[in-house]
Amino acid sequence: MPTLQKRIEDLARQVALDQIAQDIDNEQKFARKDDVVSTEAIERLMTLEGKVARLIRICWVQEEVKPLTLPVSDEANNDPFLVRLSSLEEKVSELIEKTWKQEAF
C-alpha cells in the first residue's frame, strides 16, 4: 500500500497533467490577444452603434428606416467585428439616402 506522501505526489502529478491538458485545449479554443480587435476599437464601435440607433429615432426621414440590427456572423464567416461594422455602414448610407432634405428656394 502506497504511503501518504506517495499518494500526495501522485495526486499532485495528476493535477498538473490535467492543468496542462486544459491549457492546451484552451489554447486551441480561444483567440490570441494579438488576434483580437483592440478594446479601444470595440468601444468606438459600440459608441457608433448607439449614435446610429439614436439618429434613426430622431432623424427626419422621407421613408421609414427600420431599427438597427447587428448580425454577428454572415454567410462568408467573416470576422464578427467587420460584419457589425459593415452593417453600421449600410445603415448610415440608408439614413443619408432617406433623410429629409430641404429644397433650395
Side-chain angles (χ1 to χ4, degrees):
M1 183 162 168
T3 64
L4 179 59
Q5 181 178 351
K6 174 71 171 138
R7 289 184 4 211
I8 291 172
E9 288 172 358
D10 289 345
L11 181 59
R13 188 173 295 110
Q14 186 60 44
V15 168
L17 289 172
D18 287 346
Q19 185 62 49
I20 291 169
Q22 284 179 359
D23 289 346
I24 290 170
D25 190 43
N26 287 342
E27 179 71 22
Q28 295 170 354
K29 284 183 189 174
F30 300 105
R32 290 190 164 86
K33 188 173 184 179
D34 297 339
D35 298 338
V36 178
V37 178
S38 73
T39 304
E40 180 184 338
I42 292 171
E43 288 175 6
R44 288 176 59 201
L45 179 67
M46 305 268 298
T47 300
L48 183 59
E49 289 173 7
K51 288 180 179 181
V52 170
R54 182 172 183 272
L55 275 174
I56 291 169
R57 288 191 313 271
I58 65 172
C59 199
W60 289 5
V61 292
Q62 296 176 9
E63 301 173 44
E64 179 186 6
V65 177
K66 298 217 184 278
L68 180 63
T69 57
L70 297 168
V72 292
S73 64
D74 63 1
E75 301 82 34
N77 288 328
N78 289 323
D79 180 336
F81 183 82
L82 296 176
V83 171
R84 290 174 72 106
L85 191 56
S86 175
S87 251
L88 273 170
E89 289 169 342
E90 288 173 15
K91 190 53 78 172
V92 168
S93 295
E94 180 185 356
L95 271 170
I96 290 169
E97 180 183 313
K98 292 181 177 179
T99 301
W100 179 78
K101 294 162 187 71
Q102 185 172 353
E103 299 290 325
F105 292 109

